[in-house]
Amino acid sequence: MTRSDHGRAATLSDVARRAGVSIATASKALNGRGDVAPTTRKRVVAAADELSFTPNAMARGLLAGRTGTVGLLTSDLEGRFVIPILMGAEDAFGAGQVNVFLCDARGDAIREQHQLRALISRRVDGIIVVGRQTDPRPSLGQDLSVPVVYAYAPSEDERDLSLTPDNYSGGRLAVEHLIACGRTRIAHITGDPAYAAAQDRLAGARAALAAAGLELVGEPMFAAWNEHWGRDAAAILLQRHPDVDAVFCGSDQIARGVLDTARDFGRDVPGDLAVIGYDNWEVLADNARPGLTSIDANLQQLGRQAAQRIFDAIDGRDLGAGVHHLPVRLIIRGSTIPRR
């Protein structure tokens, strides 16, 4: 326990009195603020050492003008994307160092504004806004009192900082992998064509095919992001184009449906039909038969970077602006390469 000359716990006031400075100056000196003369800072630090003064976590936050809390505002009802982003952010913030308030706006703009006001009233140090899809979303505005980073769903306002997975590169990476596996008759089954992710992944896939002098087998097949559509679409595809040797799927759920139908049609995966998914949803990919090769959006890394940008802004560095596309990665399992 820290003690003053009177035998009680030392306070910032005690340190200021010992150093012969004001409480405000003592606060600035102990928190590394640049507007304190070096000789004064040295005197304050010496006084704190003599009194064995160590501010508690709350006091450190107050001295630095921070609350040690960050808001995470989401519309992802199912938690499919927000949970790994939240985990990455918490990793960056450090266990017990920063508290994260998770607010679910449930896709409602009015509720989102209510949640935003609640976070501001709690004096959070920053806000991370997480969308449920990669389509641009309305900005929270430029007059907020705290730094804001948009994660997964970018802001429509180019003045905001947005971090989102590079779906174009993901589509290209998926098809490049299939081509590297010797596949030349590649089809594409994906979800809702109104989603930016569906269009971006298709554009990347077509770029990879064009670079190899190839084209998609048939037209890309759009509908829903679920296994039922994967099964139905695969049945149509295999009946129309029995010579297809690979399918790039816009999601892991679609890919699981494709695997089911391939089995029903007696097609060996990956022997004569390779299948690759997207999202690397491990509960699906690891338990598929065979294990599903997939593109991982690196959502935990996205969360870590969003948290780091909040840290930078709190420390006075420029938050930045514009949409930043973060790298994705290929996770290879048995649906494209035989396991040994």
Side-chain angles (χ1 to χ4, degrees):
M1 181 179 294
T2 59
R3 296 287 172 183
S4 71
D5 294 336
H6 302 288
R8 57 177 170 74
T11 67
L12 181 62
S13 178
D14 295 324
V15 174
R17 189 180 305 111
R18 175 69 67 92
V21 298
S22 68
I23 294 177
T25 298
S27 169
K28 294 176 182 179
L30 292 175
N31 282 278
R33 295 281 294 274
D35 50 351
V36 178
T39 54
T40 301
R41 188 189 313 279
K42 185 176 180 180
R43 192 164 71 251
V44 172
V45 171
D49 289 342
E50 291 167 7
L51 294 173
S52 299
F53 171 75
T54 304
N56 59 35
M58 180 174 291
R60 283 196 300 270
L62 292 173
L63 292 175
R66 306 173 191 171
T67 61
T69 58
V70 169
L72 196 150
L73 184 59
T74 181
S75 295
D76 183 12
L77 299 178
E78 299 175 354
R80 170 67 189 93
F81 302 112
V82 70
I83 295 303
I85 291 173
L86 173 61
M87 291 172 61
E90 287 189 324
D91 286 346
F93 287 137
Q97 301 300 309
V98 175
N99 294 314
V100 179
F101 290 134
L102 177 59
C103 297
D104 184 4
R106 302 181 185 177
D108 183 271
I110 295 176
R111 186 180 179 88
E112 182 179 78
Q113 285 299 312
H114 170 75
Q115 300 281 22
L116 174 61
R117 288 192 295 270
L119 290 172
I120 296 296
S121 70
R122 287 177 175 267
R123 297 181 60 243
V124 295
D125 296 323
I127 297 174
I128 299 174
V129 182
V130 183
R132 62 182 307 176
Q133 59 200 61
T134 58
D135 296 72
R137 52 146 293 147
S139 171
L140 295 179
Q142 303 300 314
D143 56 353
L144 297 177
S145 58
V146 297
V148 178
V149 174
Y150 296 80
Y152 200 70
S155 168
E156 294 175 343
D157 193 329
E158 62 182 15
R159 293 173 295 177
D160 293 323
L161 173 67
S162 302
L163 306 178
T164 190
D166 191 342
N167 280 307
Y168 176 87
S169 292
R172 184 161 191 151
L173 185 61
V175 170
E176 286 175 345
H177 171 65
L178 294 174
I179 293 172
C181 291
R183 311 296 170 155
T184 58
R185 301 277 300 166
I186 301 170
H188 185 44
I189 301 174
T190 190
D192 188 337
Y195 277 54
Q199 297 297 336
D200 291 343
R201 292 166 190 174
L202 172 60
R206 287 190 172 192
L209 287 166
L214 300 172
E215 295 182 350
L216 280 176
V217 171
E219 291 298 314
M221 304 176 72
F222 293 98
W225 302 99
N226 58 45
E227 292 186 38
H228 292 294
W229 166 237
R231 285 193 288 270
D232 293 345
I236 295 170
L237 175 68
L238 293 175
Q239 288 168 350
R240 290 180 179 173
H241 304 282
D243 59 343
V244 65
D245 63 10
V247 183
F248 166 37
C249 301
S251 76
D252 292 339
Q253 290 168 292
I254 292 173
R256 280 285 295 262
V258 171
L259 290 177
D260 289 344
T261 295
R263 191 177 303 112
D264 293 342
F265 273 63
R267 300 293 295 269
D268 177 63
V269 177
D272 59 9
L273 183 69
V275 178
I276 185 169
Y278 207 106
D279 295 327
N280 192 37
W281 195 352
E282 292 184 354
V283 68
L284 289 179
D286 285 338
N287 294 304
R289 298 171 49 204
L292 180 63
T293 294
S294 186
I295 301 297
D296 190 323
N298 272 337
L299 295 183
Q300 287 197 38
Q301 178 62 22
L302 190 152
R304 283 190 286 271
Q305 289 209 27
Q308 187 58 57
R309 292 301 189 102
I310 292 290
F311 273 142
D312 290 345
I314 292 172
D315 288 339
R317 291 189 285 275
D318 181 41
L319 183 64
V323 179
H324 298 249
H325 295 92
L326 303 189
V328 299
R329 58 179 180 158
L330 172 68
I331 305 298
I332 299 174
R333 298 186 180 89
S335 66
T336 56
I337 294 179
R339 310 306 291 182
R340 296 186 181 277

